[in-house]
Amino acid sequence: MYKMLSRIIGCVFLIIGVTIGGGLLALPTITAGLGIIVSSILLFIIWTIMTYSSLLILEVNLQLPKNNNLISMARHSLGYAGEIICWLSYLLLLYCLLCAYIAGGGDLFHNLFQSVHLPINLTFSIIIFVMIFAMIVWQGIKVVDNINRIFMIIKLLTYILLLFAITRHIHFNYLQTQVHYNNLLSSIMIIITSFGYGIIIPSMQTYLKNDVKILRKVIIGGSFIPLIFYFIWIFCIQATIKTKTLINISNSNQVTAELMRTLNAINNENHWLISLSHVFIIICIFTAFLGVSLSLTDFLTDGLKLQKTFLKKLLIFILAFLPALLIVMLKPSMFILGLQYAGICCVIILIAFPALMAFY
C-alpha cells in the first residue's frame, strides 16, 4: 500500500514536473498582448482538451501489453500508415521540446558560470547541461522519479515564496486591457505545449501497474495543479512587469535569462529573492527536461524494439540527445521557437491521434 501511494505521488509529481517547465516561463511573455482574461480563458479550454486527450491515450494504452508506447498504440489502432505518421509527429514533438529545454538550460548554465566568473562559453554550457542531466535519465524512471521529487518540493516552495515576494510589486494598471491578437496562434501553440504531459502516460501506466482508477485520478489531479499555477503565475508576472517589457522578452534570443534579469531588477534590494528566482527558473527547466528525456528514450526503445543492454541503451541515448544538442549549438535561441513548434506537433500527436486511436 505504501509503495503504491509513493508511486502515485511520484507520478503526480512527474506530471507537474513535465507540465510546469518551460511553458511556465514562456506563458506570461507570449500572452502579454492578449491580456489576463483572454489568456485565462485559453488556458482553461486547452487544459480541458488536453486532459480529455490524455485520458484517451490511457484507454488505448491499457488495451496493449506492458511497456508499449505510442508507436505500438498507433500500429495497433491505425495500422502501418498511422505508425509512420506517429513516428514522425512524436519524434518532432519530443525533439522540439528537448531543443527548447536544452536551449533554456544551456542559457541558464551560461549565466550561472558568468555570475561566478567562470570563462565557459554558451556552447560548452549547453554540452555540460546535457551531459549532467542525461546521466540522470540513464538511471531510469525510478531514479528520475526520486530526483524529480526533490526538485518538485524545492520548486513548490520557491514558487510560493517567489509569488509572495512578487505581490509586493503588483501594479493592477500593468494588466493589459486591450487585446492584441498578433501572438494569438503562438500563444495557443505554447499553451498546448504547456499541457503536453500526455507523452509520459505510457511510462506511468507500467509504473502504476495498469490500475485504471488510480491512473485517471493521477492524470486529472496532476494536470489540474499546473492549471492553477499557470493562472496565478501569469496574473502575478503580467501585473508586475509592464506589457511592453514582457513582449520584448518574448522576442529576445535569451528568454529565460532576460526574465531572470527582469525579476532581479524588480527585487534588487533583496539578494535572497534574486537567488530564489534563479532557483525557481532553473528547476522549471530541469524537471521538464527530465520528463521529456525519459519519454523520448522510452519511445525510441519501444519504436526500435531494442533490449536495454548497455550498447543498445547507449545507442538510444545518442539518438535521443545528439540531434537536439547539435540543433541548439547551431541555433541557441531555440527556447520560444522550440515550444511553438512543439505545440503544432502536440495538436497532431496528443489531440488528433488519441481521438483517432480511440474511436477508429
Side-chain angles (χ1 to χ4, degrees):
M1 181 66 182
Y2 172 79
K3 187 176 181 180
M4 178 56 75
L5 180 61
S6 176
R7 290 189 175 194
I8 291 170
I9 294 170
C11 286
V12 170
F13 276 4
L14 275 175
I15 290 176
I16 297 172
V18 172
T19 309
I20 304 178
L24 186 71
L25 307 180
L27 283 174
T29 61
I30 200 69
T31 62
L34 295 176
I36 189 65
I37 295 175
V38 174
S39 300
S40 299
I41 292 171
L42 281 176
L43 273 174
F44 183 76
I45 291 172
I46 292 172
W47 170 78
T48 303
I49 294 169
M50 297 302 286
T51 301
Y52 180 68
S53 297
S54 296
L55 291 171
L56 290 180
I57 292 174
L58 172 64
E59 294 303 320
V60 176
N61 193 246
L62 287 169
Q63 297 173 18
L64 301 177
K66 291 195 302 181
N67 299 318
N68 279 282
N69 212 292
L70 280 174
I71 286 292
S72 300
M73 293 164 61
R75 186 191 309 121
H76 174 76
S77 304
L78 304 174
Y80 286 106
E83 180 184 0
I84 292 170
I85 297 171
C86 183
W87 254 105
L88 296 174
S89 302
Y90 200 71
L91 280 176
L92 281 172
L93 167 62
L94 291 176
Y95 278 125
C96 285
L97 288 173
L98 204 56
C99 284
Y101 296 140
I102 288 173
D107 185 22
L108 290 174
F109 265 40
H110 184 230
N111 277 271
L112 286 175
F113 292 142
Q114 285 185 325
S115 67
V116 294
H117 308 292
L118 284 175
I120 299 176
N121 63 25
L122 180 58
T123 299
F124 279 105
S125 300
I126 291 168
I127 293 171
I128 292 169
F129 170 77
V130 172
M131 287 181 66
I132 291 173
F133 285 90
M135 287 172 63
I136 295 173
V137 178
W138 178 276
Q139 305 302 319
I141 189 171
K142 288 186 178 180
V143 173
V144 171
D145 178 13
N146 291 331
I147 292 176
N148 187 69
R149 292 182 196 209
I150 297 170
F151 280 155
M152 281 305 307
I153 292 169
I154 298 171
K155 182 193 284 190
L156 294 174
L157 290 174
T158 53
Y159 174 83
I160 294 167
L161 291 172
L162 191 57
L163 283 183
F164 179 76
I166 289 174
T167 54
R168 298 188 300 113
H169 302 282
I170 281 178
H171 301 277
F172 290 101
N173 59 316
Y174 282 5
L175 292 171
Q176 181 74 21
T177 53
Q178 294 182 334
V179 179
H180 302 283
Y181 292 102
N182 297 343
N183 284 336
L184 177 61
L185 184 59
S186 298
S187 299
I188 290 172
M189 291 299 104
I190 290 182
I191 293 173
I192 289 172
T193 302
S194 300
F195 287 110
Y197 61 90
I199 58 176
I200 65 170
I201 288 174
S203 300
M204 285 171 39
Q205 176 236 331
T206 302
Y207 197 48
L208 293 179
K209 302 184 184 299
N210 294 350
D211 192 313
V212 181
K213 291 183 179 178
I214 289 177
L215 282 161
R216 286 173 181 163
K217 290 177 181 177
V218 165
I219 289 170
I220 296 171
S223 64
F224 186 73
I225 294 171
L227 174 67
I228 301 302
F229 274 49
Y230 287 153
F231 279 138
I232 298 171
W233 179 251
I234 291 174
F235 174 83
C236 287
I237 295 297
Q238 291 186 357
T240 304
I241 302 172
K242 292 182 178 179
T243 300
K244 185 177 180 180
T245 304
L246 289 172
I247 293 172
N248 289 337
I249 292 172
S250 71
N251 293 326
S252 70
N253 290 330
Q254 294 180 303
V255 174
T256 53
E258 287 297 325
L259 182 60
M260 186 184 294
R261 279 192 281 269
T262 305
L263 289 173
N264 290 349
I266 292 170
N267 295 299
N268 59 5
E269 76 282 5
N270 291 315
H271 294 294
W272 71 273
L273 287 178
I274 292 174
S275 300
L276 199 66
S277 65
H278 284 199
V279 171
F280 178 69
I281 291 173
I282 289 167
I283 290 181
C284 281
I285 295 293
F286 289 176
T287 53
F289 178 87
L290 289 175
V292 170
S293 300
L294 180 67
S295 297
L296 179 56
T297 52
D298 281 354
F299 176 82
L300 290 172
T301 302
D302 172 52
L304 297 174
K305 298 300 178 186
L306 295 177
Q307 298 296 322
K308 290 188 177 180
T309 62
F310 178 83
L311 289 178
K312 290 179 180 178
K313 191 173 180 181
L314 181 62
L315 174 63
I316 290 294
F317 271 68
I318 291 172
L319 292 173
F321 293 107
L322 187 59
L325 179 61
L326 292 175
I327 290 169
V328 176
M329 287 170 66
L330 292 171
K331 188 176 177 59
S333 57
M334 276 293 295
F335 183 67
I336 290 289
L337 195 61
L339 292 176
Q340 288 175 352
Y341 287 154
I344 298 170
C345 298
C346 276
V347 171
I348 299 170
I349 200 70
L350 296 180
I351 298 178
F353 253 72
L356 288 172
M357 288 190 293
F359 300 115
Y360 186 75

